[in-house]
Amino acid sequence: MIILKSKEEIAEMKKAGALVAACHKQVAAMIKPGVTTLEIDQAVERFMRSMGGSPVTKGYKGYPFATCASVNDVIAHGFPNRQPLRSGDIVKIDIVAEFGGWVGDSAWCYAVGDISPAARKLMRVTKECLLRGIEKAVVGNRIGDVMHAIQSHAEQNGYSSVRDLLAHGVGRSLHEEPNLVHVGKPGRGLRLKEGMVFTLEPMINEGTHLMYVDDDGWTARTFDGKLSAQYEHTIAITANGPIILTA
Ligand code: MF3
Ligand code: CO
């Protein structure tokens, strides 16, 4: 069942989203060669709690950290660790906060030092995929319109869109219905209604969309070892168009 949100509830969700965005500002200020993703994780948790929020990922199905930190070929759900980031890396930091009983979820891809032109292009196109998807997230459109915009932009650039990890409804809990795959056909699938709140979180790979999960049970990597980028926002569908709650 999809739980529709009222205008008032969406306004409350925007506070949780704003906290996630503020956490990302902290991350952006820390990213540089030599910093570790564990240091970033601890700074985010401290900041989030200082603002009255709490990290939803910590303890979620046993996930041990306040953030996910996914470097280079790691698509998502990487563990923060003590290995210093190096110039040329790209790192996706995924942050989920609960604030006032509502959840916000946003992942962002960061460049560490000087990255290759290929990595820079992957990041640019992936961000464009997210924004093109959001543009299509209007009342009356179908989810296939949204996901086709994402998939086709990725594929036109020679990339692939991950199928095995999904976008999802967000509300009082992190994962609500619907679950949504970032590929689709125009005019197909769920019709978008006012009050729906869900993530769009395209994971775009340089090579194959296929992935595998490490023995830790979480770390999702590209099958071919090539780079993957991700940008994620939580959005609300309203009569006046999509609102980005995690901006
Ligand atoms: N953005 C991720 C998701 O929606 C955050 C969850 S990570 C987990 O699935 F570790 F908590 F699962
Ligand atoms: Co998510």
Side-chain angles (χ1 to χ4, degrees):
M1 189 198 48
I2 296 175
I3 305 169
L4 299 178
K5 278 80 180 180
S6 68
K7 285 193 177 99
E8 293 73 23
E9 289 172 326
I10 287 169
E12 292 304 308
M13 289 196 72
K14 203 160 189 204
K15 297 177 189 171
L19 176 54
V20 174
C23 290
H24 273 297
K25 274 205 163 167
Q26 304 278 316
V27 174
M30 286 184 79
I31 294 282
K32 60 168 192 269
V35 74
T36 73
T37 50
L38 193 60
E39 287 165 346
I40 292 169
D41 180 81
Q42 289 166 349
V44 167
E45 180 168 3
R46 206 176 314 120
F47 175 75
M48 193 189 291
R49 292 193 191 281
S50 78
M51 300 296 283
S54 56
V56 174
T57 55
K58 201 164 185 173
Y60 181 85
K61 295 186 179 168
Y63 185 83
F65 296 98
T67 64
C68 304
S70 305
V71 179
N72 294 337
D73 67 309
V74 179
I75 298 169
H77 304 163
F79 287 176
N81 61 35
R82 294 193 150 79
Q83 193 171 321
L85 292 171
R86 296 186 305 185
S87 184
D89 287 342
I90 65 171
V91 57
K92 289 77 71 179
I93 304 290
D94 197 342
I95 302 176
V96 186
E98 179 273 327
F99 183 87
W102 297 96
V103 172
D105 180 8
S106 172
W108 212 250
C109 186
Y110 296 92
V112 182
D114 293 321
I115 64 170
S116 68
R120 192 159 295 287
K121 182 181 174 199
L122 177 68
M123 287 177 63
R124 173 177 61 77
V125 170
T126 303
K127 195 190 287 182
E128 288 166 357
C129 285
L130 173 61
L131 298 177
R132 286 174 183 228
I134 292 172
E135 273 177 18
K136 296 281 183 189
V138 298
V139 173
N141 263 1
R142 290 180 183 268
I143 197 65
D145 299 311
V146 174
M147 297 313 195
H148 176 76
I150 289 171
Q151 178 187 8
S152 62
H153 189 55
E155 291 179 357
Q156 278 159 18
N157 282 280
Y159 302 143
S160 66
S161 183
V162 169
R163 274 94 160 135
D164 296 334
L165 299 172
L166 302 176
H168 52 92
V170 183
R172 291 193 177 277
S173 56
L174 169 59
H175 292 132
E176 293 184 355
E177 288 183 39
N179 289 110
L180 306 166
V181 63
H182 296 90
V183 297
K185 294 196 169 75
R188 303 281 186 88
L190 181 74
R191 195 180 284 284
L192 301 183
K193 288 203 182 109
E194 191 176 350
M196 287 181 176
V197 176
F198 54 82
T199 67
L200 289 175
E201 47 183 303
M203 291 145 277
I204 304 300
N205 294 356
E206 273 191 314
T208 177
H209 67 82
L210 296 173
M211 55 167 251
Y212 68 96
V213 177
D214 282 354
D215 289 340
D216 62 20
W218 284 99
T219 308
R221 292 181 190 271
T222 59
F223 194 77
D224 56 15
K226 293 184 177 175
L227 292 179
S228 183
Q230 182 187 30
Y231 293 88
E232 173 186 30
H233 272 312
T234 303
I235 66 167
I237 308 302
T238 80
N240 301 319
I243 298 178
I244 300 175
L245 300 179
T246 43

